Amino acid sequence: MAVLKAEKVWGALRGLETFSQLVYEDDYGSFLINESEITDYPRFAHRGILLDTSRHFLPLKSILTNLDAMAFNKFNVLHWHIVDDHSFPYQSTTFPELSGKGSYFYNHVYTPTDVRLVIEYARLRGIRVIPEFDTPGHTQSWGKGQKDLLTPCYNGEHRSGSYGPVNPILNTTYHFMTDLFQEISQVFPDTYVHLGGDEVDFSCWKSNPDVTEFMKQQGFGTDYAKLESYYIEKILGIVSSVNKGYIVWQEVFDKGVKIKSDTIVEVWIGNLYTTELSNVTRAGFTTILAAPWYLDYISYGQDWKKYYNVQPLNFSGSEKQKKLVIGGEACLWGEFVDATNLTPRLWPRASAVGERLWSSENVTNIGDAYNRLVKHRCRMVRRGIAAEPLYVGYCDHEIREL
């Protein structure tokens, strides 16, 4: 007889996953479990995977398969980077032309039914779905389906024919954003929306005479970071008005935007991320760490080890500051990733991140981790997850299936 006790249903789900991982097959084909007593809990509350469905469209089956893999590895947040410059696959009921003209193809969209399926499939596995709608940059696809949303760029006195970030000087921009985020707040039930705010190129704003005049009127001078702050503060107000909290990339904090005390700041820039963690938490903001876990960067060898060896709280700060780090995310950006290589590129490399975010800080033995990870990779393969091998060797079930 087995007994499982948990304070909440989500703890019971994780406990069942642990129980399933204790089962092993003996040489005679019998499935056994050793008598055990386990007390377990996660070190960090936020254990996320970022999937990018804009740079390459990911079929629904790929997303669902990786939600299964996330549950096998005790991740509990899908950070759905659903739209970007390259395509707008989210099918809005309020603004259908966004995906109608902004998606790669008419069927490269996530319909309202698709989105509900992803959210419910994730919920049943104890996984939250946090969508990201990144502005004012990363919005080229938005402009295809929404007239006058993007800033016209100029070459001298004449329009160049290209467009830059969202146009922050028009009232129509904020009317549109209010309606869109009202819809998003109803479609995605999670408490938070990720608002991006990273990598804003000012060159187009600088070229536009109307923007230049607006800067003068507002007293911004030539500091376009103030214009960006002006825009983001308005967006934050819109999102607050629909009763959502928000997550932003670190540049929003770095540029001094006035953000509410309950804002979550995601640290992603690899250089000096420990200094950034110190600065963000010193200012009193809750923080998510992503910088050392960009899994789209690949290299020869067992790169999972560097992900495993990250210590999220290894930065200068008080105990109070370190409690503000609620977890981290393994990010798989889609420049070179589609459904053909998503799963093997993500797993089991993300499993190393999962253990770091779940297990106690004193669980650091790389040899022990390798042995566990090899077995877990084989377990995932047996469950239908095409996880790549860590190194030379074989899975026991492969021999039995010959």
Side-chain angles (χ1 to χ4, degrees):
M1 183 180 71
V3 177
L4 172 62
K5 295 181 180 179
E7 292 184 6
K8 297 180 180 179
V9 64
W10 316 119
L13 282 173
R14 308 298 172 225
L16 287 169
E17 179 57 38
T18 297
F19 183 81
S20 76
Q21 294 180 17
L22 296 173
V23 177
Y24 67 95
E25 187 178 3
D26 67 11
D27 293 338
Y28 303 100
S30 298
F31 290 94
L32 307 171
I33 186 169
N34 293 327
E35 184 176 348
S36 307
E37 184 173 331
I38 297 173
T39 302
D40 198 15
Y41 52 88
R43 182 183 177 195
F44 292 101
H46 186 110
R47 304 179 304 281
I49 295 288
L50 180 149
L51 294 183
D52 173 5
T53 58
S54 171
R55 289 169 174 85
H56 284 97
F57 179 80
L58 296 178
L60 209 55
K61 183 179 179 181
S62 295
I63 297 174
L64 301 183
T65 295
N66 280 278
L67 285 169
D68 284 334
M70 288 173 64
F72 300 156
N73 290 272
K74 301 181 182 178
F75 283 94
N76 66 345
V77 178
L78 171 62
H79 175 169
W80 192 353
H81 188 86
I82 192 167
V83 299
D84 206 298
D85 278 329
H86 314 83
S87 73
F88 197 105
Y90 170 75
Q91 190 176 76
S92 167
T93 55
T94 310
F95 301 102
E97 288 296 280
L98 287 172
S99 61
K101 295 182 178 178
S103 64
Y104 283 133
F105 201 53
Y106 76 93
N107 61 351
H108 280 195
V109 297
Y110 301 107
T111 67
T113 300
D114 294 335
V115 172
R116 284 194 297 270
L117 175 59
V118 169
I119 291 169
E120 180 63 7
Y121 197 89
R123 187 187 70 84
L124 293 174
R125 287 152 182 78
I127 298 169
R128 301 160 55 199
V129 178
I130 298 178
E132 181 181 353
F133 289 84
D134 188 358
T135 67
H138 291 275
T139 49
Q140 289 298 299
S141 67
W142 299 48
K144 295 176 182 178
Q146 184 64 24
K147 186 181 179 182
D148 298 329
L149 179 63
L150 303 185
T151 306
C153 304
Y154 278 71
N155 186 358
E157 297 180 358
H158 304 285
R159 289 193 180 192
S160 66
S162 61
Y163 292 86
V166 167
N167 193 332
I169 71 172
L170 300 179
N171 289 333
T172 53
T173 293
Y174 303 106
H175 296 323
F176 164 78
M177 291 295 181
T178 298
D179 292 343
L180 179 63
F181 279 106
Q182 179 68 47
E183 175 189 322
I184 290 167
S185 71
Q186 294 170 356
V187 170
F188 292 91
D190 198 82
T191 308
Y192 285 89
V193 176
H194 203 302
L195 299 177
D198 63 318
E199 298 181 323
V200 181
D201 184 353
F202 294 154
S203 58
C204 184
W205 283 351
K206 290 178 179 179
S207 76
N208 185 297
D210 295 327
V211 173
T212 302
E213 180 60 29
F214 182 84
M215 294 277 289
K216 291 178 182 177
Q217 293 173 3
Q218 295 294 322
F220 295 160
T222 58
D223 187 353
Y224 285 83
K226 290 182 178 179
L227 180 61
E228 181 185 0
S229 296
Y230 170 88
Y231 168 81
I232 290 178
E233 286 173 26
K234 281 186 170 290
I235 296 300
L236 299 185
I238 289 169
V239 174
S240 294
S241 73
V242 296
N243 298 316
K244 290 289 187 184
Y246 40 76
I247 305 171
V248 295
W249 295 113
Q250 70 179 71
E251 289 99 318
V252 175
F253 168 82
D254 294 341
K255 292 177 180 177
V257 177
K258 294 178 183 177
I259 50 180
K260 292 170 63 175
S261 59
D262 59 352
T263 301
I264 298 177
V265 178
E266 185 160 8
V267 174
W268 74 274
I269 298 176
N271 295 332
L272 302 176
Y273 72 81
T274 55
T275 301
E276 185 75 10
L277 286 173
S278 296
N279 293 339
V280 173
T281 55
R282 188 181 302 114
F285 292 107
T286 302
T287 310
I288 296 168
L289 178 62
W293 294 316
Y294 267 41
L295 304 192
D296 46 304
Y297 294 127
I298 57 175
S299 58
Y300 181 79
Q302 299 186 55
D303 62 354
W304 68 270
K305 293 180 180 179
K306 69 180 180 182
Y307 305 134
Y308 187 80
N309 284 328
V310 171
Q311 287 297 338
L313 303 186
N314 188 20
F315 64 91
S316 177
S318 65
E319 284 304 307
K320 183 179 179 182
Q321 284 178 248
K322 295 186 178 186
K323 287 179 180 178
L324 291 172
V325 180
I326 59 170
E329 292 185 346
C331 302
L332 190 61
W333 297 97
E335 285 90 347
F336 306 101
V337 175
D338 66 6
T340 65
N341 62 346
L342 168 67
T343 302
R345 185 160 295 185
L346 191 55
W347 309 104
R349 297 159 77 229
S351 304
V353 182
E355 177 159 314
R356 178 53 55 231
L357 293 173
W358 179 279
S359 297
S360 171
E361 63 181 322
N362 59 13
V363 179
T364 57
N365 187 295
I366 203 79
D368 288 347
Y370 174 79
N371 292 333
R372 284 196 303 277
L373 204 50
V374 166
K375 291 179 181 177
H376 188 53
R377 179 260 167 176
C378 290
R379 184 183 299 116
M380 285 194 287
V381 170
R382 194 167 188 177
R383 292 177 176 183
I385 306 299
E388 69 180 14
L390 280 84
Y391 193 51
V392 298
Y394 62 91
C395 294
D396 289 341
H397 73 266
E398 296 171 340
I399 298 175
R400 299 188 185 98
E401 291 170 359
L402 292 176

